[in-house]
Amino acid sequence: MSGRSSRGVVERVEVDSIFRVVARALTRLGLLDSASAVVDAPPGFCGRPDNVCPQVSLFMPHGPGHGIGLDVHDPAQWYSPPGQFGVGDAFTIEPGIYIRPGIVDILPDTPRNQMYITRIRPLLQRYANIGVRIEDNYIVTPSGLERISTSPREISELEALMRKH
């Protein structure tokens, strides 16, 4: 979240920054050519009319979060005004990365895609079927955001939990 406004609502989550962080990590692993690299995608894959989509969208197929409430996936984008949460609103931030070896099989046969697929196919096998999804839930209170998730999320917390069992 970017902070509180003078009207008592929390401003829009910086969604692009979540995708940038994930893209940088996948680039370090070699799964992306760069954090801003693109592929030629099948029609409708990422909602762009030119079907040129970020490579990161192959590994992060859903958005980084959504509203929660009466419906499991309350549509936060319908809040008024759009992109803002008010006191009492609850939402999740849940970026997910999924490495599926066959994901590149959906890509059209273009020179750009051929080079990319040839380069990453061994990595797709190396990291086959690895998935990571971290979900944190928050509620907007009169004094700001409150994390309502109770699961450990820091490495030290996870290691301590593992030592107990």
Side-chain angles (χ1 to χ4, degrees), residues 7 24-25 36 39-40 43 54 72 75 82 86 96 105 110 112 130 132 135 137 153 156:
R7 295 193 318 266
R24 284 194 304 266
S36 59
V39 291
D40 301 315
V72 174
D105 297 339
T110 65
R112 177 189 352 230
I130 291 176
V132 177
E135 186 165 335
N137 299 321
R153 63 178 174 174
S156 60

PDB file of all heavy atoms in Angstrom, residues 7 24-25 36 39-40 43 54 72 75 82 86 96 105 110 112 130 132 135 137 153 156:
ATOM      1  N   ARG A   7      -8.586  11.591   2.943  1.00  0.00           N
ATOM      2  CA  ARG A   7      -9.992  11.221   3.014  1.00  0.00           C
ATOM      3  C   ARG A   7     -10.207   9.952   3.836  1.00  0.00           C
ATOM      4  O   ARG A   7     -11.302   9.412   3.857  1.00  0.00           O
ATOM      5  CB  ARG A   7     -10.550  11.034   1.600  1.00  0.00           C
ATOM      6  CG  ARG A   7     -10.549  12.326   0.810  1.00  0.00           C
ATOM      7  CD  ARG A   7     -11.372  12.211  -0.452  1.00  0.00           C
ATOM      8  NE  ARG A   7     -11.187  10.960  -1.154  1.00  0.00           N
ATOM      9  CZ  ARG A   7     -10.335  10.764  -2.146  1.00  0.00           C
ATOM     10  NH1 ARG A   7      -9.565  11.738  -2.568  1.00  0.00           N
ATOM     11  NH2 ARG A   7     -10.239   9.590  -2.745  1.00  0.00           N
ATOM     12  N   ARG A  24      12.606  -9.490 -11.318  1.00  0.00           N
ATOM     13  CA  ARG A  24      14.046  -9.438 -11.019  1.00  0.00           C
ATOM     14  C   ARG A  24      14.534 -10.779 -10.478  1.00  0.00           C
ATOM     15  O   ARG A  24      15.605 -11.253 -10.835  1.00  0.00           O
ATOM     16  CB  ARG A  24      14.354  -8.301 -10.039  1.00  0.00           C
ATOM     17  CG  ARG A  24      14.339  -6.925 -10.685  1.00  0.00           C
ATOM     18  CD  ARG A  24      14.961  -5.862  -9.809  1.00  0.00           C
ATOM     19  NE  ARG A  24      14.361  -5.749  -8.496  1.00  0.00           N
ATOM     20  CZ  ARG A  24      13.388  -4.892  -8.169  1.00  0.00           C
ATOM     21  NH1 ARG A  24      12.915  -4.059  -9.072  1.00  0.00           N
ATOM     22  NH2 ARG A  24      12.909  -4.856  -6.953  1.00  0.00           N
ATOM     23  N   ALA A  25      13.750 -11.406  -9.612  1.00  0.00           N
ATOM     24  CA  ALA A  25      14.148 -12.702  -9.040  1.00  0.00           C
ATOM     25  C   ALA A  25      14.196 -13.785 -10.119  1.00  0.00           C
ATOM     26  O   ALA A  25      15.141 -14.577 -10.163  1.00  0.00           O
ATOM     27  CB  ALA A  25      13.181 -13.097  -7.932  1.00  0.00           C
ATOM     28  N   SER A  36      12.257  -6.791 -17.898  1.00  0.00           N
ATOM     29  CA  SER A  36      11.275  -6.160 -18.788  1.00  0.00           C
ATOM     30  C   SER A  36      11.090  -6.922 -20.101  1.00  0.00           C
ATOM     31  O   SER A  36      10.416  -6.449 -21.006  1.00  0.00           O
ATOM     32  CB  SER A  36      11.688  -4.720 -19.081  1.00  0.00           C
ATOM     33  OG  SER A  36      12.962  -4.705 -19.695  1.00  0.00           O
ATOM     34  N   VAL A  39       7.413 -11.775 -24.507  1.00  0.00           N
ATOM     35  CA  VAL A  39       7.210 -12.897 -25.428  1.00  0.00           C
ATOM     36  C   VAL A  39       6.036 -12.548 -26.328  1.00  0.00           C
ATOM     37  O   VAL A  39       5.211 -11.700 -26.001  1.00  0.00           O
ATOM     38  CB  VAL A  39       6.899 -14.229 -24.692  1.00  0.00           C
ATOM     39  CG1 VAL A  39       8.093 -14.740 -23.937  1.00  0.00           C
ATOM     40  CG2 VAL A  39       5.685 -14.108 -23.806  1.00  0.00           C
ATOM     41  N   ASP A  40       5.966 -13.227 -27.465  1.00  0.00           N
ATOM     42  CA  ASP A  40       4.787 -13.169 -28.313  1.00  0.00           C
ATOM     43  C   ASP A  40       3.831 -14.221 -27.758  1.00  0.00           C
ATOM     44  O   ASP A  40       4.163 -15.414 -27.731  1.00  0.00           O
ATOM     45  CB  ASP A  40       5.155 -13.483 -29.764  1.00  0.00           C
ATOM     46  CG  ASP A  40       6.185 -12.503 -30.306  1.00  0.00           C
ATOM     47  OD1 ASP A  40       6.010 -11.289 -30.082  1.00  0.00           O
ATOM     48  OD2 ASP A  40       7.159 -12.951 -30.943  1.00  0.00           O
ATOM     49  N   PRO A  43      -3.389 -15.066 -28.419  1.00  0.00           N
ATOM     50  CA  PRO A  43      -4.407 -14.029 -28.229  1.00  0.00           C
ATOM     51  C   PRO A  43      -5.103 -14.166 -26.871  1.00  0.00           C
ATOM     52  O   PRO A  43      -5.461 -15.263 -26.449  1.00  0.00           O
ATOM     53  CB  PRO A  43      -5.388 -14.275 -29.379  1.00  0.00           C
ATOM     54  CG  PRO A  43      -4.555 -14.948 -30.432  1.00  0.00           C
ATOM     55  CD  PRO A  43      -3.560 -15.800 -29.672  1.00  0.00           C
ATOM     56  N   PRO A  54       4.691  -9.538 -21.003  1.00  0.00           N
ATOM     57  CA  PRO A  54       5.911  -9.708 -20.210  1.00  0.00           C
ATOM     58  C   PRO A  54       6.206 -11.189 -19.983  1.00  0.00           C
ATOM     59  O   PRO A  54       5.291 -11.978 -19.726  1.00  0.00           O
ATOM     60  CB  PRO A  54       5.584  -9.022 -18.884  1.00  0.00           C
ATOM     61  CG  PRO A  54       4.400  -8.161 -19.160  1.00  0.00           C
ATOM     62  CD  PRO A  54       3.660  -8.787 -20.290  1.00  0.00           C
ATOM     63  N   VAL A  72     -15.255 -14.963  -1.393  1.00  0.00           N
ATOM     64  CA  VAL A  72     -13.850 -15.319  -1.198  1.00  0.00           C
ATOM     65  C   VAL A  72     -12.922 -14.350  -1.924  1.00  0.00           C
ATOM     66  O   VAL A  72     -11.893 -13.958  -1.419  1.00  0.00           O
ATOM     67  CB  VAL A  72     -13.585 -16.770  -1.666  1.00  0.00           C
ATOM     68  CG1 VAL A  72     -12.103 -17.091  -1.612  1.00  0.00           C
ATOM     69  CG2 VAL A  72     -14.369 -17.732  -0.795  1.00  0.00           C
ATOM     70  N   PRO A  75     -14.292  -8.309  -5.174  1.00  0.00           N
ATOM     71  CA  PRO A  75     -13.617  -7.533  -6.229  1.00  0.00           C
ATOM     72  C   PRO A  75     -13.210  -6.146  -5.762  1.00  0.00           C
ATOM     73  O   PRO A  75     -13.969  -5.195  -5.856  1.00  0.00           O
ATOM     74  CB  PRO A  75     -14.677  -7.466  -7.331  1.00  0.00           C
ATOM     75  CG  PRO A  75     -15.974  -7.568  -6.590  1.00  0.00           C
ATOM     76  CD  PRO A  75     -15.720  -8.422  -5.378  1.00  0.00           C
ATOM     77  N   PRO A  82     -12.393   3.793  -7.526  1.00  0.00           N
ATOM     78  CA  PRO A  82     -11.602   2.625  -7.929  1.00  0.00           C
ATOM     79  C   PRO A  82     -10.177   2.670  -7.380  1.00  0.00           C
ATOM     80  O   PRO A  82      -9.546   3.712  -7.337  1.00  0.00           O
ATOM     81  CB  PRO A  82     -11.579   2.732  -9.457  1.00  0.00           C
ATOM     82  CG  PRO A  82     -12.789   3.535  -9.799  1.00  0.00           C
ATOM     83  CD  PRO A  82     -12.972   4.503  -8.653  1.00  0.00           C
ATOM     84  N   GLY A  86     -11.162   1.504   1.973  1.00  0.00           N
ATOM     85  CA  GLY A  86     -11.565   2.323   3.108  1.00  0.00           C
ATOM     86  C   GLY A  86     -11.477   1.538   4.398  1.00  0.00           C
ATOM     87  O   GLY A  86     -11.238   0.320   4.400  1.00  0.00           O
ATOM     88  N   GLY A  96       2.160 -15.237  -6.517  1.00  0.00           N
ATOM     89  CA  GLY A  96       2.456 -16.648  -6.696  1.00  0.00           C
ATOM     90  C   GLY A  96       3.331 -16.850  -7.917  1.00  0.00           C
ATOM     91  O   GLY A  96       3.110 -16.235  -8.958  1.00  0.00           O
ATOM     92  N   ASP A 105       4.920 -24.196 -24.246  1.00  0.00           N
ATOM     93  CA  ASP A 105       4.250 -24.857 -25.363  1.00  0.00           C
ATOM     94  C   ASP A 105       3.042 -24.063 -25.867  1.00  0.00           C
ATOM     95  O   ASP A 105       2.579 -24.303 -26.978  1.00  0.00           O
ATOM     96  CB  ASP A 105       3.822 -26.276 -24.981  1.00  0.00           C
ATOM     97  CG  ASP A 105       5.015 -27.167 -24.661  1.00  0.00           C
ATOM     98  OD1 ASP A 105       6.141 -26.847 -25.106  1.00  0.00           O
ATOM     99  OD2 ASP A 105       4.822 -28.170 -23.946  1.00  0.00           O
ATOM    100  N   THR A 110       7.412 -18.082 -33.090  1.00  0.00           N
ATOM    101  CA  THR A 110       7.981 -16.858 -33.663  1.00  0.00           C
ATOM    102  C   THR A 110       9.475 -16.856 -33.383  1.00  0.00           C
ATOM    103  O   THR A 110       9.934 -17.540 -32.444  1.00  0.00           O
ATOM    104  CB  THR A 110       7.356 -15.587 -33.047  1.00  0.00           C
ATOM    105  OG1 THR A 110       7.712 -15.519 -31.651  1.00  0.00           O
ATOM    106  CG2 THR A 110       5.826 -15.575 -33.192  1.00  0.00           C
ATOM    107  N   ARG A 112      11.335 -14.649 -31.920  1.00  0.00           N
ATOM    108  CA  ARG A 112      11.603 -14.202 -30.543  1.00  0.00           C
ATOM    109  C   ARG A 112      11.352 -15.350 -29.568  1.00  0.00           C
ATOM    110  O   ARG A 112      12.161 -15.616 -28.680  1.00  0.00           O
ATOM    111  CB  ARG A 112      10.715 -13.009 -30.189  1.00  0.00           C
ATOM    112  CG  ARG A 112      10.911 -12.559 -28.758  1.00  0.00           C
ATOM    113  CD  ARG A 112       9.944 -11.525 -28.199  1.00  0.00           C
ATOM    114  NE  ARG A 112       9.012 -10.889 -29.057  1.00  0.00           N
ATOM    115  CZ  ARG A 112       8.809  -9.569 -29.150  1.00  0.00           C
ATOM    116  NH1 ARG A 112       9.533  -8.753 -28.403  1.00  0.00           N
ATOM    117  NH2 ARG A 112       7.893  -9.064 -29.934  1.00  0.00           N
ATOM    118  N   ILE A 130       7.947 -26.368  -9.391  1.00  0.00           N
ATOM    119  CA  ILE A 130       8.153 -25.614  -8.155  1.00  0.00           C
ATOM    120  C   ILE A 130       7.153 -24.461  -8.159  1.00  0.00           C
ATOM    121  O   ILE A 130       6.958 -23.779  -9.162  1.00  0.00           O
ATOM    122  CB  ILE A 130       9.598 -25.082  -8.054  1.00  0.00           C
ATOM    123  CG1 ILE A 130      10.570 -26.238  -7.855  1.00  0.00           C
ATOM    124  CG2 ILE A 130       9.712 -24.055  -6.921  1.00  0.00           C
ATOM    125  CD1 ILE A 130      12.021 -25.831  -7.832  1.00  0.00           C
ATOM    126  N   VAL A 132       5.633 -21.214  -5.509  1.00  0.00           N
ATOM    127  CA  VAL A 132       5.752 -20.457  -4.264  1.00  0.00           C
ATOM    128  C   VAL A 132       4.604 -19.460  -4.234  1.00  0.00           C
ATOM    129  O   VAL A 132       4.383 -18.721  -5.195  1.00  0.00           O
ATOM    130  CB  VAL A 132       7.088 -19.684  -4.191  1.00  0.00           C
ATOM    131  CG1 VAL A 132       7.154 -18.848  -2.923  1.00  0.00           C
ATOM    132  CG2 VAL A 132       8.268 -20.623  -4.293  1.00  0.00           C
ATOM    133  N   GLU A 135       0.817 -15.693   1.118  1.00  0.00           N
ATOM    134  CA  GLU A 135      -0.444 -14.960   1.247  1.00  0.00           C
ATOM    135  C   GLU A 135      -0.496 -14.271   2.599  1.00  0.00           C
ATOM    136  O   GLU A 135      -0.375 -14.918   3.631  1.00  0.00           O
ATOM    137  CB  GLU A 135      -1.629 -15.914   1.091  1.00  0.00           C
ATOM    138  CG  GLU A 135      -2.944 -15.211   1.078  1.00  0.00           C
ATOM    139  CD  GLU A 135      -4.078 -16.097   0.572  1.00  0.00           C
ATOM    140  OE1 GLU A 135      -3.832 -17.048  -0.175  1.00  0.00           O
ATOM    141  OE2 GLU A 135      -5.226 -15.796   0.955  1.00  0.00           O
ATOM    142  N   ASN A 137      -2.938 -11.445   4.719  1.00  0.00           N
ATOM    143  CA  ASN A 137      -4.221 -10.743   4.729  1.00  0.00           C
ATOM    144  C   ASN A 137      -4.124  -9.512   5.621  1.00  0.00           C
ATOM    145  O   ASN A 137      -3.469  -9.533   6.663  1.00  0.00           O
ATOM    146  CB  ASN A 137      -5.320 -11.678   5.229  1.00  0.00           C
ATOM    147  CG  ASN A 137      -5.475 -12.880   4.328  1.00  0.00           C
ATOM    148  OD1 ASN A 137      -5.388 -12.774   3.117  1.00  0.00           O
ATOM    149  ND2 ASN A 137      -5.681 -14.046   4.917  1.00  0.00           N
ATOM    150  N   ARG A 153       6.273 -15.807   8.288  1.00  0.00           N
ATOM    151  CA  ARG A 153       6.655 -15.472   6.915  1.00  0.00           C
ATOM    152  C   ARG A 153       8.133 -15.135   6.786  1.00  0.00           C
ATOM    153  O   ARG A 153       8.665 -15.143   5.694  1.00  0.00           O
ATOM    154  CB  ARG A 153       5.800 -14.346   6.366  1.00  0.00           C
ATOM    155  CG  ARG A 153       5.954 -13.045   7.111  1.00  0.00           C
ATOM    156  CD  ARG A 153       5.112 -11.984   6.480  1.00  0.00           C
ATOM    157  NE  ARG A 153       5.161 -10.792   7.300  1.00  0.00           N
ATOM    158  CZ  ARG A 153       4.629  -9.667   6.970  1.00  0.00           C
ATOM    159  NH1 ARG A 153       4.001  -9.557   5.851  1.00  0.00           N
ATOM    160  NH2 ARG A 153       4.719  -8.641   7.760  1.00  0.00           N
ATOM    161  N   SER A 156      13.567 -16.700   9.626  1.00  0.00           N
ATOM    162  CA  SER A 156      13.854 -17.109  11.006  1.00  0.00           C
ATOM    163  C   SER A 156      12.614 -17.706  11.680  1.00  0.00           C
ATOM    164  O   SER A 156      12.724 -18.669  12.438  1.00  0.00           O
ATOM    165  CB  SER A 156      14.376 -15.923  11.815  1.00  0.00           C
ATOM    166  OG  SER A 156      13.407 -14.890  11.851  1.00  0.00           O
TER     167      SER A 156
END
